[in-house]
Amino acid sequence: MITRSVDADALAHAPLLARTSFVENPKRKERLVVDQIRTIGKWISVDPNTPEMKLDGLGSDHIKWGVPATGDPNAGRSEYEFTGALAHTKHDGSNKFEVTLGTFTHHNYVIFMGQQTEFQATLEIDIEFKDDGTKHKCTVAFSHVETVNSPGYVDDKVKLPEVSGNEIVHIEGVEYKVSIVGFLVGGHGEPLPQFLSAEGRHNEADIIARFERTNPLVGG
């Protein structure tokens, strides 16, 4: 699989997927806003970060860790990668809506990383709603379990990410609380609370966030 990365300058000049449009919502007789969003992210910390992990890439959209297992046909360093989103969403003043923040990829290889097999990796995501010019920043923590491959290969586990501190954002004058719904694998179905990552493969899933009004509308 070809890996992907996000260049901030290239993203800024990428073609837009949708234009702003307004239609009548018969239910409330309000405008339905089709809002462009762009996201970009970087990994800002890993805890614990031990010398045996040999961590590289903090401050970029991908981090690598571990020493490749000798003699393994799929030798390589394990890696987390975040690919920002360029898409659109719809919100019509209702109480909640969901957004794809981007794509998370775990390039999973058999590695040595010392005795520390669990860690937390924190991703900082910049979210821009293009139509009204609002910009938001949030941090998302991923809990990683590096499994012991005996007997045979065993999937690693990436646990449900959490947004730091009940993130609050304002969109078109409305206050929303942001939460992470989960991982959406394959672009369909329901978001999952845990992401299982097969050894020797490039495993990816979309990160889905939910925006909920702090002051809900009656019947919304």
Side-chain angles (χ1 to χ4, degrees):
M1 178 181 291
I2 299 175
T3 60
R4 298 174 296 173
S5 61
V6 173
D7 178 84
D9 185 65
L11 185 60
H13 294 88
L16 299 178
L17 296 186
R19 295 293 179 183
T20 306
S21 62
F22 301 97
V23 298
E24 289 298 323
N25 180 352
K27 183 178 180 180
R28 294 191 185 86
K29 295 184 179 180
E30 297 176 353
R31 296 185 306 176
L32 176 63
V33 181
V34 180
D35 208 349
Q36 302 157 13
I37 65 165
R38 299 180 190 226
T39 65
I40 192 167
K42 62 181 178 181
W43 300 95
I44 58 174
S45 67
V46 168
D47 183 34
N49 180 4
T50 65
E52 291 80 9
M53 290 177 65
K54 299 186 180 300
L55 182 73
D56 291 320
L58 288 179
S60 73
D61 62 0
H62 62 280
I63 52 175
K64 295 183 179 182
W65 67 90
V67 177
T70 57
D72 190 282
N74 297 313
R77 303 189 68 201
S78 285
E79 179 178 352
Y80 272 5
E81 182 178 9
F82 177 77
T83 303
L86 173 60
H88 66 272
T89 185
K90 297 179 180 179
H91 56 94
D92 59 356
S94 57
N95 287 328
K96 61 185 177 182
F97 63 95
E98 294 184 356
V99 169
T100 298
L101 293 182
T103 301
F104 166 80
T105 305
H106 179 205
H107 306 280
N108 192 6
Y109 294 99
V110 180
I111 59 171
F112 298 110
M113 55 178 292
Q115 297 300 311
Q116 189 65 48
T117 58
E118 298 187 22
F119 60 86
Q120 179 173 285
T122 301
L123 176 70
E124 182 180 83
I125 303 177
D126 291 310
I127 309 170
E128 180 180 8
F129 286 81
K130 297 295 292 181
D131 293 339
D132 64 0
T134 56
K135 297 180 180 180
H136 306 287
K137 189 184 296 289
C138 68
T139 54
V140 183
F142 296 77
S143 296
H144 183 87
V145 179
E146 191 80 34
T147 55
V148 177
N149 293 296
S150 177
Y153 287 167
V154 180
D155 294 349
D156 288 355
K157 298 177 182 179
V158 186
K159 297 181 180 179
L160 177 69
E162 297 179 356
V163 173
S164 62
N166 293 322
E167 297 283 350
I168 299 295
V169 302
H170 294 82
I171 304 170
E172 299 183 341
V174 179
E175 185 178 83
Y176 293 86
K177 181 177 74 171
V178 185
S179 60
I180 297 295
V181 180
F183 299 104
L184 184 63
V185 180
H188 55 81
E190 294 295 323
L192 303 173
Q194 182 171 273
F195 182 64
L196 297 178
S197 182
E199 290 285 353
R201 295 177 57 184
H202 309 281
N203 306 293
E204 66 178 36
D206 290 335
I207 302 172
I208 308 299
R210 177 176 294 138
F211 289 66
E212 298 183 79
R213 292 179 69 120
T214 58
N215 184 22
L217 296 171
V218 177

